[in-house]
Amino acid sequence: MTSDPAPASVAVRLAGVDKVFKTGDKATTALVGIDLEILRGEFISLIGPSGCGKSTLLRIIADLIDPTGGVVTIGGKAAAEARQARDYGMVFQAPVLFDWRTVEDNVRLPLEIMGWDAARRNARAREMLELVELGDFLGHYPYQLSGGMQQRVAIARALTFEPSILLMDEPFGALDEMTRERMNSEVLRIWERTGTSIVFVTHSIPEAVFLSSRVVVMSARPGRITNVVAIDLPQPRNDETRESTRYFELVTEVREALRAGEPEGGEHGSDDAASLTSADQARVEDGIQ
């Protein structure tokens, strides 16, 4: 019998988490019975049909919304306590940068709010911009950067205060395919260097497989965890990873897990289930038939 992970090794613990949204007399059940443990240093992706509650679950972890039932603990602390301790960094689908502030000013904004002295926050902002390879763009403004570069600024900002957990809500969904692949490699490099636990919401099966330690598969609403797929691809991951037979086997395993979680007679074609490009599909057929 395998013993439970020691509390110190668990970054996030969700036990029996439910979420019901109420509007007047109407109630919509978004999540039911979510049980999940995320270990320190893991890269976990949440994937499921559109509207299954992936982003809702991420916001519950971040203490941005309250669960209707169940318990959320972050490193052994209540979610609200962890938020007040700034244990979280968060990156949204849009970079949410201030156009009138330079790249450097955007990155050091959280440190200004926290009251860091000027020298310390300047040094930290520049360190994080070097980490995301934007050290030459300190004085640029967001409108002067590409979409991928703007997201790297948002990641640098989220990491400035050294959060133990980085929460990422479809951060690359609006990027073109080639930029998205580069950003996948970039975020893996940052994860390896920082050791931060990452919880990543995505609609893309290939992205989830390429990035993750484990992929958490969710059902259509009300969202439940129907499967957790361990990703045993070696590190570091690169273009050769995307061409490997094992990668395509895991892509297929996650896709089949998504289909198995669909309601009887449910419609296919959710954003998650339709995430392979035609080129990817051809490589799957060539690689694992």
Side-chain angles (χ1 to χ4, degrees):
M1 180 175 178
T2 302
S3 60
D4 290 336
S9 70
V10 177
V12 178
R13 178 176 278 118
L14 306 167
V17 170
D18 304 327
K19 181 60 183 179
V20 178
F21 291 100
K22 293 185 178 180
T23 305
D25 295 331
K26 295 183 178 179
T28 300
T29 302
L31 297 170
V32 173
I34 300 294
D35 295 308
L36 181 66
E37 286 187 344
I38 299 170
L39 303 184
R40 293 190 186 278
E42 275 199 292
F43 196 126
I44 298 294
S45 288
L46 305 177
I47 195 166
S50 295
C52 74
K54 301 181 296 295
S55 294
T56 296
L57 184 56
L58 200 73
R59 283 161 171 75
I60 287 173
I61 294 172
D63 194 46
L64 297 178
I65 58 176
D66 295 323
T68 305
V71 177
V72 181
T73 55
I74 311 298
K77 295 180 281 191
E81 183 184 351
R83 176 176 53 78
Q84 291 164 5
R86 296 184 175 88
D87 288 346
Y88 309 107
M90 193 151 187
V91 180
F92 297 94
Q93 184 168 0
V96 197
L97 304 176
F98 293 104
D99 289 339
W100 61 91
R101 296 179 69 106
T102 65
V103 165
E104 184 178 15
D105 286 342
N106 268 283
V107 171
R108 65 188 174 200
L109 178 59
L111 307 181
E112 293 175 14
I113 294 170
M114 293 167 65
W116 288 31
D117 65 72
R120 187 180 173 208
R121 66 178 180 252
N122 290 346
R124 181 62 177 171
R126 291 177 184 182
E127 178 187 356
M128 290 299 96
L129 285 166
E130 290 291 342
L131 177 67
V132 299
E133 299 183 346
L134 288 175
D136 293 335
F137 293 86
L138 301 178
H140 285 62
Y141 289 88
Y143 70 87
Q144 296 174 307
L145 306 181
S146 69
M149 293 169 75
Q150 289 182 26
Q151 278 295 30
R152 283 153 65 188
V153 174
I155 292 169
R157 181 180 58 191
L159 291 171
T160 51
F161 47 91
E162 298 184 282
S164 60
I165 302 168
L166 184 61
L167 305 174
M168 307 184 78
D169 192 1
E170 298 185 60
F172 310 138
L175 303 179
D176 65 85
E177 184 177 354
M178 294 305 296
T179 302
R180 186 170 188 155
E181 286 191 358
R182 287 196 297 272
M183 289 301 299
N184 286 172
S185 296
E186 184 76 10
V187 78
L188 277 182
R189 182 183 64 81
I190 292 167
W191 172 60
E192 290 164 4
R193 284 190 58 182
T194 62
T196 303
S197 304
I198 296 181
V199 186
F200 189 96
V201 169
T202 181
H203 280 102
S204 168
I205 299 169
E207 180 172 68
V209 169
F210 182 77
L211 291 174
S212 306
S213 309
R214 291 186 292 155
V215 176
V216 175
V217 179
M218 297 179 65
S219 69
R221 192 176 63 238
R224 298 176 173 85
I225 294 175
T226 58
N227 206 330
V228 179
V229 179
I231 306 299
D232 56 7
L233 297 170
Q235 298 284 358
R237 295 177 189 170
N238 50 35
D239 288 342
E240 290 184 5
T241 304
R242 293 189 175 96
E243 300 291 342
S244 69
T245 298
R246 183 59 182 153
Y247 169 75
F248 290 117
E249 289 173 345
L250 288 164
V251 166
T252 299
E253 184 176 346
V254 172
R255 189 193 310 110
E256 290 178 349
L258 282 164
R259 288 175 175 166
E262 289 179 345
E264 199 68 33
E267 295 182 2
H268 295 275
S270 73
D271 291 340
D272 290 305
S275 57
L276 280 179
T277 65
S278 58
D280 278 333
Q281 183 61 49
R283 286 186 290 174
V284 169
E285 293 169 356
D286 289 339
I288 64 175
Q289 273 190 352

